[in-house]
Amino acid sequence: MSESLLERAADEFRRQYGLPAAFCVRAPGRVNLLGEHTDYNGLPVLPMAIDRCIAIAARPRDGRRVRAVALDWGHEIESFELAPAIPKHPQGHWMNYIKAGMQGILAKLCPDEREGMTGCDMVIAGNIPAEAGLSSSSALVVASAMTLLHVHHRTVGRLTLAEWMAEAEWYVGTRGGGMDQAVCLLGQPDHALQIDFFPLRAQPVSWPKEYAVVLCDSGVRAKKSESALRAYNFRSAECRLAARLLNQALARNGWESQFQRLGDLLRPPFHFSYTEIRDLAESALRDTYRYSELVQALGEESRVIEILRDCSIPGDPGDSGPRFHCGKRYRHVAREALRVVKSRELLDRGEMEAFGELMLEGHASARDDFEISCPPLDQLVRIAMESGAVGARLTGAGFGGCTVNVVRRDQVKEFLAAVRSHPGLPPSITHPGMIFPVNAAPAAAYYPIS
Ligand code: NG1
């Protein structure tokens, strides 16, 4: 499938620019099997790179202009000049992801190198459903950065590039963690990855051949540019506020050191186990705080405002504004991290029924404590379980997008038929393009033009 995508990009390149492309880049999307909203808390995730990709055909050009055409988003040539601070396209525009990746590279170069950077022409093709929790955005960010690097014959280690790109994607307005960029650059066929953060590490986890991963798209579009972006950033702020509150609880128990993210508690001087982190998160926080209660607990309003501003939440929301569900959010994050660690052991032993149980627990926790599900996703999880899946849950940031389902490979046909013919689902979802198996795919790579 990705070969035809690369060919499509290369063919269209010649048509658009009247010259052959010099090379292609392919970058995969991902499905997250477990570990939702743990990455920016410094705790592990278990994603898999999938055989749905972004393909870019490119050719260097003189001067600092970058021109791009996206085949699935309008065929118009868009362009910008490479610069240390590239002005944004309107919020939500696909060009912002290209700008994010390229600006992310420029940011890491010394001024002389940055000055010497010339642009390129590009054609982009893709088959990752957009805004469906499958990381089409990070695939485009990574592919764009790799394009610029290749134009300048530069190589950067994959772990380093993944870290650069995690930060680079903040350009579009989400304060995400580093899962998507890391799995895009480090994924392996037939394997999921356990990814740990600060410092970034990835270990391949063999995926059992007898089981397939099937995605069911709810059709609800979690548009990063609108309310889902605000909701995502609000979760991130609640987690950071929870960290401040827990630091106080630790100080009351005699700890002098402070931590920033929950995952820091795994390391010196704390050396907590995952279970101890979970117990602390469950016992030391209240489910919900009003704004004034947070200010009182943290002692300084400016600290609260600083965290909110850092997560793109303007001003002082006051007590008439939203509540802060610090305890509920951290309960999800801490239990989810434990699920990732356990699930990895279960995969190693091939205990897929127990793995499926953890997926269902993860979904319930995402729905009830992290509150990122929605009725269509809950319904898809129920229907998947009635149709023979061993496990099912929402995947990615939530608020819409896809569910991920684990199904015995010899039962995939029956599963697809049962879900597609389910009377409870609207026809728009039962379409074959909305319910489809995926395979673990290799990491992003360069391809010569054939
Ligand atoms: P998606 O599903 O691609 O929006 C987002 C974040 C991840 C992670 C997940 C939730 C970005 C680029 N990605 O993924 O880092 O936090 O949500 O687990 O912000």
Side-chain angles (χ1 to χ4, degrees):
M1 186 180 280
S2 73
E3 257 101 280
S4 62
L5 210 59
L6 292 167
E7 278 164 19
R8 210 175 136 221
D11 290 349
E12 191 60 29
F13 190 97
R14 194 187 283 271
R15 235 189 318 278
Q16 287 283 344
Y17 301 108
L19 286 168
F23 65 92
C24 284
V25 182
R26 180 195 52 77
R30 63 102 183 95
V31 58
N32 193 16
L33 298 163
L34 261 173
E36 229 55 89
H37 292 262
T38 45
D39 58 354
Y40 54 85
N41 287 297
L43 287 163
V45 291
L46 191 77
M48 181 186 265
I50 58 173
D51 48 359
R52 294 291 188 116
C53 318
I54 293 282
I56 294 182
R59 185 183 179 92
R61 72 195 305 276
D62 292 337
R64 296 178 69 75
R65 187 149 287 275
V66 172
R67 298 193 297 178
V69 176
L71 297 188
D72 302 309
W73 300 306
H75 276 81
E76 303 271 302
I77 296 191
E78 300 275 350
S79 72
F80 65 91
E81 294 273 319
L82 289 172
I86 305 171
K88 289 189 184 124
H89 264 62
Q91 182 123 28
H93 197 286
W94 56 269
M95 274 297 272
N96 284 333
Y97 297 96
I98 298 176
K99 291 177 170 182
M102 294 195 174
Q103 185 175 292
I105 297 295
L106 295 182
K108 300 294 175 186
L109 302 178
C110 64
D112 280 357
E113 287 178 305
R114 211 181 295 147
E115 280 303 301
M117 280 282 182
T118 49
C120 55
D121 288 333
M122 303 157 74
V123 167
I124 299 143
N127 59 11
I128 313 171
E131 294 153 11
L134 303 179
S135 228
S136 56
S137 60
S138 299
L140 184 51
V141 170
V142 167
S144 305
M146 287 177 65
T147 300
L148 188 63
L149 286 171
H150 205 60
V151 160
H152 293 275
H153 311 290
R154 300 274 307 223
T155 47
V156 175
R158 284 184 177 250
L159 282 171
T160 304
L161 187 57
E163 284 181 327
W164 288 5
M165 289 303 106
E167 200 181 317
E169 201 167 330
W170 293 355
Y171 175 90
V172 299
T174 28
R175 302 294 287 176
M179 161 170 67
D180 304 343
Q181 302 80 5
V183 66
C184 181
L185 281 156
L186 299 159
Q188 295 188 12
D190 307 321
H191 289 78
L193 285 188
Q194 181 182 326
I195 304 177
D196 292 89
F197 302 90
F198 309 108
L200 183 63
R201 285 149 293 154
Q203 301 164 55
V205 182
S206 175
W207 181 258
K209 282 195 284 302
E210 304 76 28
Y211 288 85
V213 176
V214 180
L215 299 178
C216 296
D217 190 339
S218 67
V220 179
R221 286 296 167 252
K223 222 175 171 208
K224 281 271 180 66
S225 53
E226 291 165 13
S227 60
L229 189 142
R230 276 199 301 281
Y232 183 96
N233 288 339
F234 202 79
R235 297 297 182 283
S236 173
E238 286 172 315
C239 289
R240 290 178 61 176
L241 291 163
R244 290 294 177 109
L245 292 166
L246 270 196
N247 269 309
Q248 290 192 331
L250 286 176
R252 284 195 294 276
N253 287 335
W255 286 94
E256 283 173 15
S257 306
Q258 298 250 315
F259 72 91
Q260 239 192 311
R261 302 172 200 88
L262 201 51
D264 297 341
L265 292 177
L266 292 166
R267 291 179 279 278
F270 300 101
H271 292 295
F272 282 30
S273 67
Y274 284 97
T275 327
E276 285 167 333
I277 290 181
R278 180 203 56 196
D279 294 346
L280 179 70
E282 285 180 355
S283 62
L285 297 172
R286 297 208 322 259
D287 270 8
T288 297
Y289 295 77
R290 288 167 185 274
Y291 180 71
S292 60
E293 289 169 335
L294 272 181
V295 171
Q296 196 186 13
L298 296 177
E300 247 184 87
E301 186 167 17
S302 58
R303 280 192 186 178
V304 180
I305 291 183
E306 184 193 311
I307 291 177
L308 295 180
R309 195 176 308 123
D310 212 38
C311 296
S312 313
I313 301 161
D316 147 17
D319 277 352
S320 56
R323 298 281 183 276
F324 296 86
H325 304 287
C326 298
K328 285 170 86 174
R329 305 302 186 236
Y330 249 19
R331 186 161 64 216
H332 163 80
V333 172
R335 290 180 180 175
E336 185 82 343
L338 200 50
R339 278 190 284 274
V340 169
V341 177
K342 280 192 198 157
S343 69
R344 199 240 150 111
E345 290 163 12
L346 293 172
L347 279 181
D348 285 344
R349 295 201 297 266
E351 293 182 24
M352 297 306 282
E353 299 288 332
F355 181 77
E357 292 287 318
L358 288 184
M359 291 177 77
L360 289 172
E361 275 179 28
H363 184 77
S365 163
R367 180 190 62 213
D368 302 334
D369 280 341
F370 220 69
E371 298 181 275
I372 51 169
S373 191
C374 59
L377 287 172
D378 298 339
Q379 186 194 26
L380 277 173
V381 167
R382 265 195 315 275
I383 291 174
M385 295 312 292
E386 285 164 21
S387 307
V390 297
R393 55 180 287 278
L394 64 79
T395 187
F399 313 108
C402 289
T403 58
V404 52
N405 308 275
V406 173
V407 180
R408 279 200 63 91
R409 211 172 274 284
D410 54 12
Q411 287 170 17
V412 168
K413 240 178 157 171
E414 289 80 357
F415 176 80
L416 294 177
V419 178
R420 285 178 187 151
S421 62
H422 196 283
L425 289 178
S428 55
I429 296 184
T430 53
H431 185 270
M434 302 291 273
I435 302 174
F436 52 95
V438 288
N439 292 301
Y446 297 109
Y447 294 82
I449 297 293
S450 49

